Amino acid sequence: MDFEKIKQAAQDYKPAMVKFLRELIAAPGESSGEKAHAERILAEMQALGFDEACIDPQGNVIGFMGAGEKIIAFDGHIDTVGIGLRENWSFDPYEGYENDEEIGGRGGSDQLGGIV
């Protein structure tokens, strides 16, 4: 396995992944109101060429790539808790922030970042 190639591929994906995460952070997605998150994730799966991608009747986003004897699954949630009192935030939780090491904003680390 060529780890340098993997590292380079990850770096090449970084701008698109940052954009995707920032778009998810910008959309409110409290429990039972995460439709915008689901639709954006579905659009990303389709743009990436998933073999199959859909939103089921319960609002779950499901995607499939490839075929074979082994299946790798990722399960995560796309809802967030509310922002509470806006004045308790030192930045706009839906605009978020970004520096060289982190991206912050509502749901960015739980679990929207993991979904990205």
Side-chain angles (χ1 to χ4, degrees), residues 14-15 18-19 22 95-105:
K14 183 178 178 180
V18 167
K19 179 180 183 291
R22 296 295 302 261
E95 181 179 326
Y97 69 89
E98 179 181 344
N99 61 38
D100 289 340
E101 296 180 5
E102 61 189 1
I103 298 171

Side-chain angles (χ1 to χ4, degrees), residues 61-92:
V61 186
I62 303 170
F64 297 91
M65 292 182 104
E69 186 177 311
K70 304 283 186 204
I71 296 174
I72 299 172
F74 179 85
D75 179 27
H77 67 91
I78 60 174
D79 63 327
T80 63
V81 297
I83 64 169
L85 298 173
R86 176 62 186 87
E87 59 267 18
N88 288 338
W89 290 80
S90 60
F91 60 90
D92 182 325

Side-chain angles (χ1 to χ4, degrees), residues 23-76:
E23 289 172 356
L24 288 174
I25 288 171
E30 293 182 26
S31 226
S32 299
E34 60 270 33
K35 183 178 181 183
H37 288 172
E39 290 175 344
R40 178 60 187 92
I41 292 164
L42 176 64
E44 190 71 14
M45 288 177 163
Q46 291 168 334
L48 291 170
F50 275 55
D51 296 329
E52 185 180 341
C54 66
I55 299 173
D56 74 10
Q58 290 76 36
N60 300 299
V61 186
I62 303 170
F64 297 91
M65 292 182 104
E69 186 177 311
K70 304 283 186 204
I71 296 174
I72 299 172
F74 179 85
D75 179 27

